Amino acid sequence: MNGSNSMTPAPQCPRCGYDQSGLVAAWKDAWPLSGTCSECGLTFPWSDVLGARFLGPRWSYEHGLHPSLGRWFATLARSLLPRRMWTELTLATAVRRARLVQFAVVLPIVAHILYAALVISRLAADPWVKLSRIDWLLAAVFPYSREVEIAKVEVGGGSIAALLCIFPVTLLIPLPMFVLRQTLTKCRVRPVHLLRGLCYSIPSATLAAILFVMVFTLSQYLIRNGSSGIAVDELGGLIPMFLVWAAWLGVWWWTFVARYLRLPHAPFVALSMLIIAVLASPFVVWGVAGVLLLCGVRF
């Protein structure tokens, strides 16, 4: 009997992981429908704590028995609808780290491979381009600094702009939660929940970067064909697109903080996370650019 009990996981608070065995042991004649964690103050239904936590939504790539392309696309679609996603995927659903990382990296890796293949094929087709083996390797690892001509349009600058604007902010936005120590300490949010939010935001950031590049390329094409009144240059197109994307990212994390983490003052927390990430991103960009310059990448 003791061995059976030892195999049963202790009931834990969905947000902070605090052991709720003491409250369960205090039950005598009746079982309450909900409880409140004495550590972080989260009110939760006991069915979330005592039920089967590994069963996620049917569409969830994170919780499927086997990796499925259909589930991956279904999860991607949900990640673009944060209100629906964070209603169906809750704190009580177990976090599967390996599947989360798999979901997050698939689209960026595929997009990188396709873009690198495009750049390398165009460079190889240009008889005036003479590159060493190291240059070819750098073009494969970081093709975004190479400008190539496609349909008489120079492609490359928009790629750099998209990466410099979108990905640093996306990757940094969960980190301010550790700066806001009062919120993090008071509510005792486990870092694994922030990992979940980060991983589900990366594919949508990749789609935004692809959209940026497409808009820049189309603008240059229109300029080359005499439609300059319709097209915009890279800087003119970058600023409004970045503002729209930043607003959407703020709403996305606001929904995550309010509906998933269920923290008080969600708008303030989400706005603080976004502002700190935006202010910190230039330092990250300069650091990465310095490393790339040392590796021989020219911008």
Side-chain angles (χ1 to χ4, degrees), residues 151-153 217-229 231:
K152 298 182 179 180
V153 175
T217 304
L218 177 61
S219 297
Q220 295 303 309
Y221 178 82
L222 293 175
I223 291 173
R224 289 292 184 93
N225 287 273
S227 301
S228 57

Side-chain angles (χ1 to χ4, degrees), residues 18-286:
Y18 185 70
D19 191 345
Q20 304 295 317
S21 300
L23 288 178
V24 175
W27 296 347
K28 294 182 179 180
D29 299 329
W31 291 9
L33 296 178
S34 62
T36 300
C37 177
S38 59
E39 281 291 299
C40 69
L42 178 70
T43 299
F44 53 84
W46 280 109
S47 59
D48 285 352
V49 175
L50 301 177
R53 298 181 63 247
F54 285 90
L55 298 178
R58 294 183 60 184
W59 50 263
S60 175
Y61 180 86
E62 181 185 351
H63 299 94
L65 293 178
H66 304 286
S68 164
L69 188 61
R71 274 200 177 93
W72 188 90
F73 277 109
T75 305
L76 175 63
R78 290 302 195 288
S79 70
L80 301 177
L81 303 170
R83 182 179 179 85
R84 182 174 180 181
M85 182 176 198
W86 300 123
T87 299
E88 299 177 5
L89 195 64
T90 66
L91 282 168
T93 310
V95 179
R96 302 184 65 179
R97 296 173 179 83
R99 285 287 185 86
L100 271 176
V101 174
Q102 287 178 21
F103 171 77
V105 302
V106 166
L107 187 58
I109 288 177
V110 171
H112 173 83
I113 292 174
L114 292 177
Y115 189 79
L118 174 65
V119 170
I120 291 175
S121 65
R122 299 305 298 174
L123 291 175
D126 190 340
W128 298 100
V129 175
K130 303 297 181 182
L131 300 177
S132 65
R133 291 182 180 179
I134 297 297
D135 290 331
W136 285 112
L137 178 61
L138 291 175
V141 173
F142 193 80
Y144 312 101
S145 62
R146 296 281 180 177
E147 288 199 353
V148 294
E149 186 174 306
I150 302 175
K152 298 182 179 180
V153 175
E154 294 292 333
V155 178
S159 308
I160 294 282
L163 288 172
L164 296 184
C165 292
I166 292 179
F167 282 102
V169 177
T170 301
L171 296 176
L172 288 174
I173 197 167
L175 296 182
M177 285 291 290
F178 296 95
V179 177
L180 302 172
R181 297 300 302 176
Q182 183 175 0
T183 298
L184 192 65
T185 303
K186 180 180 179 181
C187 298
R188 297 186 180 275
V189 177
R190 287 184 291 172
V192 71
H193 292 305
L194 299 179
L195 174 66
R196 175 176 268 173
L198 173 62
C199 288
Y200 282 123
S201 68
I202 289 177
S204 59
T206 306
L207 292 176
I210 294 172
L211 179 61
F212 272 40
V213 175
M214 291 175 63
V215 169
F216 293 146
T217 304
L218 177 61
S219 297
Q220 295 303 309
Y221 178 82
L222 293 175
I223 291 173
R224 289 292 184 93
N225 287 273
S227 301
S228 57
I230 301 175
V232 294
D233 59 16
E234 289 184 4
L235 182 60
L238 173 65
I239 295 176
M241 289 184 66
F242 177 76
L243 292 177
V244 171
W245 172 79
W248 184 86
L249 186 66
V251 172
W252 197 95
W253 280 95
W254 177 4
T255 308
F256 174 81
V257 172
R259 302 186 70 87
Y260 179 77
L261 294 181
R262 295 162 61 184
L263 296 181
H265 313 297
F268 169 76
V269 173
L271 182 61
S272 300
M273 293 169 66
L274 180 62
I275 292 175
I276 294 175
V278 170
L279 294 178
S281 60
F283 298 98
V284 174
V285 171
W286 293 334

